[in-house]
Amino acid sequence: MIRLFEFLQKKNKKGTLNIFDIDDTLFRSESRVLIKKNGKVVKELGTGEYNTYKLKQGEQFDFSQFRSSKTFYNTAVPIDKMILRARRAVAQENPEDKTIIVTARADFDNKSLFLQKFRDNGFPIDQVHVERAGNLSQYKKGVKPNITKAVVLKRYLNTGKFDTVRFWDDAEENLNMLDKLKHMYPNVKFQGFLVDPETGNTTRHI
């Protein structure tokens, strides 16, 4: 009877889902979102600016720099404190836990070169899946990262395998969506941490 109870406990045990953003969370990059109008670049946005920017009439986003693995590899600078934190999350995982990266970027043009940047900085990227939330933008133009990241997160939560979510991101808009998910998943504990890209320090946001 005791062994059966222990078996059921182990079987029903749920894990922690650790989520890390890339840009201005794990790395600082020179990649910019271009704003084009009539085929000409009229503005360049960093990731923080893009999160809140609203297109004006006739404008459209150009994400070509964010799909360039070469640009990422050559210009991205690791945020050491966050790389270390993410490494620890992977190293300390129990069998029920999972660590993923959720980026607003879409697919890169050279997957191997993109992944090599993580390896070169001592991050176990081959143990971590990278969710490219930017791919969802193709279904609805102009949809913001807080929405696409929420779609990705819900896919994991719907498995019923996790009762804790820990999310690190530099954008308050992305962390605020955890408040909305709380109502949809009342049995899940959500923790959101706002990252300072300059120092790698974090503050509890949710």
Side-chain angles (χ1 to χ4, degrees):
M1 182 63 71
I2 294 178
R3 288 183 178 177
L4 177 59
F5 177 72
E6 291 176 346
F7 170 77
L8 291 175
Q9 270 194 321
K10 186 174 181 180
K11 183 179 180 181
N12 295 325
K13 186 178 180 181
K14 296 187 177 182
T16 295
L17 180 65
N18 298 305
I19 305 169
F20 292 89
D21 177 38
I22 293 180
D23 293 290
D24 289 338
T25 298
L26 293 177
F27 290 90
R28 290 190 301 274
S29 171
E30 295 181 9
S31 299
R32 295 291 182 265
V33 177
L34 306 180
I35 305 298
K36 287 188 173 181
K37 186 174 182 178
N38 299 324
K40 296 182 179 180
V41 176
V42 296
K43 190 182 290 287
E44 296 185 5
L45 305 176
T47 55
E49 297 171 300
Y50 166 67
N51 286 327
T52 58
Y53 189 83
K54 294 183 179 180
L55 289 172
K56 299 178 178 62
Q57 186 173 2
E59 293 182 342
Q60 58 184 181
F61 292 123
D62 181 329
F63 299 101
S64 56
Q65 290 189 19
F66 275 89
R67 295 194 175 97
S68 171
S69 298
K70 185 176 180 180
T71 298
F72 179 75
Y73 187 86
N74 289 335
T75 69
V77 177
I79 301 174
D80 293 334
K81 283 187 179 180
M82 287 305 302
I83 291 288
L84 179 59
R85 188 183 297 271
R87 285 171 56 187
R88 286 176 176 169
V90 177
Q92 295 172 359
E93 283 180 356
N94 291 316
E96 300 82 11
D97 302 331
K98 190 173 185 67
T99 299
I100 62 174
I101 290 174
V102 181
T103 176
R105 294 179 185 241
D107 291 338
F108 281 82
D109 55 10
N110 186 329
K111 179 180 177 181
S112 297
L113 186 61
F114 163 67
L115 296 178
Q116 191 60 43
K117 183 68 176 184
F118 287 84
R119 298 187 190 108
D120 289 350
N121 286 278
F123 185 81
I125 192 63
D126 298 292
Q127 300 176 44
V128 177
H129 184 65
V130 179
E131 293 281 0
R132 287 89 65 210
N135 287 338
L136 299 175
S137 298
Q138 63 183 304
Y139 302 109
K140 186 176 181 180
K141 299 297 182 183
V143 63
K144 289 296 184 178
N146 62 323
I147 302 300
T148 54
K149 289 188 176 187
V151 171
V152 171
L153 182 49
K154 285 172 64 178
R155 189 165 70 240
Y156 282 87
L157 291 174
N158 287 341
T159 66
K161 295 180 179 180
F162 307 101
D163 58 12
T164 302
V165 169
R166 300 193 301 171
F167 187 15
W168 287 267
D169 202 298
D170 67 292
E172 291 187 23
E173 296 81 7
N174 295 336
L175 295 172
N176 287 340
M177 63 93 169
L178 296 181
D179 270 329
K180 298 181 179 179
L181 292 178
K182 280 183 180 180
H183 301 291
M184 301 177 65
Y185 303 90
N187 296 322
V188 177
K189 179 181 179 181
F190 292 91
Q191 300 175 0
F193 302 92
L194 185 64
V195 179
D196 182 340
E198 297 300 321
T199 64
N201 294 333
T202 62
T203 53
R204 181 73 178 268
H205 189 73
I206 300 293

